[in-house]
């Protein structure tokens, strides 16, 4: 058949699964990195306008 992708439908499914997995891993790493930066900033003490220092 001329309309069938190379590798067949199974190859397309594998590619879609690999893309989805890469997106999920990237999202999880992004959340982890933001958490590390946030808690690092909080650990150093973040002062609000009222002068209150917050720490974990």
């Amino acid at each position: 058949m001329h309309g069938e992708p190379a590798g067949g439908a199974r190859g397309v499914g594998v590619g879609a699964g690999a893309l989805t997995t890469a997106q999920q891993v990237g999202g999880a790493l992004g959340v982890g990195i933001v958490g590390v930066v946030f808690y690092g900033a909080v650990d150093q003490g973040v002062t609000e306008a009222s002068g209150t220092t917050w720490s974990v």
Side-chain angles (χ1 to χ4, degrees):
M1 294 186 190
H2 296 291
E4 188 173 323
R10 186 170 300 222
V12 172
V14 169
L19 176 63
T20 302
T21 300
Q23 289 174 330
Q24 292 290 325
V25 169
L29 287 174
V31 168
I33 290 169
V34 168
V36 166
V37 170
F38 174 76
Y39 283 109
V42 170
D43 189 38
Q44 294 175 0
V46 178
T47 306
E48 292 185 311
S50 65
T52 305
T53 302
W54 297 88
S55 63
V56 179

